[in-house]
Amino acid sequence: MNRVRFNRRHMHLVHAPLLSADNVLPEIVLRVDRQKLAKRLWRASAEDGTEFGFEVETPLRHGDIVWASDQARYVIRQEPELLLEIPLDVKSDAAAVIGWAVGNLHFAIEAQDTRLLAPDDPGLRQALDRMHIHYHETVEVFQPHRFAGSLAGHGHHHH
């Protein structure tokens, strides 16, 4: 198996987020999209040009501090993306149907007290329209539940 090797000469290598850092230090941002954050091996440059290589066992998340010096702390900031917001201002049985509809299409979701967030997708829009479920577009940082990605191989097929 070929492994990607990073040139470590001019970059910081990160294996995991820092557990603590001085929050008084200025924040320097590494802007990263959700798909890149899900990977184990990747590269990114901070806003000040500092380069980082990532070899992580578990995905990093929005807000993780990945490096700190005496002058600054380097923080992951996930890029916002276009999402569908589905209000949950309905009875619990209707909320369960909404959750089933989205889950049956195998979309990752972010469930909150008053709403669900899901990726904007034509198939999901069509299903929600067909079921007369209200939704609207929003642009936000999407942080789906970690179990969502593990459901892809859940043991049965949809034919």
Side-chain angles (χ1 to χ4, degrees):
M1 176 175 170
N2 292 335
R3 288 194 49 172
V4 174
R5 298 310 273 166
F6 295 120
N7 177 356
R8 295 179 178 156
R9 194 171 62 165
H10 298 293
M11 86 172 51
H12 298 289
L13 185 60
V14 174
H15 294 288
L18 296 180
L19 298 178
S20 65
D22 187 349
N23 287 335
V24 175
L25 291 173
E27 177 179 298
I28 299 176
V29 172
L30 284 93
R31 297 201 183 282
V32 185
D33 65 50
R34 180 172 52 93
Q35 288 75 22
K36 187 177 274 189
L37 278 177
K39 295 180 180 181
R40 288 191 60 244
L41 299 170
W42 51 282
R43 288 180 168 195
S45 295
E47 289 180 337
D48 70 352
T50 303
E51 293 191 23
F52 291 87
F54 296 88
E55 290 183 7
V56 294
E57 289 298 318
T58 57
L60 295 172
R61 297 186 60 100
H62 179 73
D64 281 347
I65 300 168
V66 295
W67 193 266
S69 69
D70 292 340
Q71 294 81 34
R73 58 193 164 93
Y74 291 81
V75 181
I76 296 289
R77 293 293 175 206
Q78 183 179 319
E79 294 286 349
E81 60 188 283
L82 184 60
L83 303 170
L84 297 181
E85 178 179 332
I86 306 162
L88 293 178
D89 54 354
V90 295
K91 292 183 179 182
S92 59
D93 60 339
V97 169
I98 292 169
W100 171 84
V102 176
N104 197 43
L105 293 170
H106 300 276
F107 283 101
I109 61 165
E110 181 178 340
Q112 299 176 358
D113 288 341
T114 60
R115 66 186 186 155
L116 288 179
L117 295 174
D120 185 10
D121 180 88
L124 180 56
R125 283 176 178 258
Q126 185 179 35
L128 295 172
D129 289 342
R130 188 172 45 248
M131 296 174 67
H132 305 287
I133 296 171
H134 173 71
Y135 64 90
H136 61 271
E137 294 178 356
T138 184
V139 176
E140 298 182 34
V141 170
F142 183 46
Q143 297 182 298
H145 298 285
R146 288 191 183 255
F147 67 82
S150 66
L151 296 178
H154 61 282
H156 69 268
H157 302 283
H158 299 268
H159 296 290

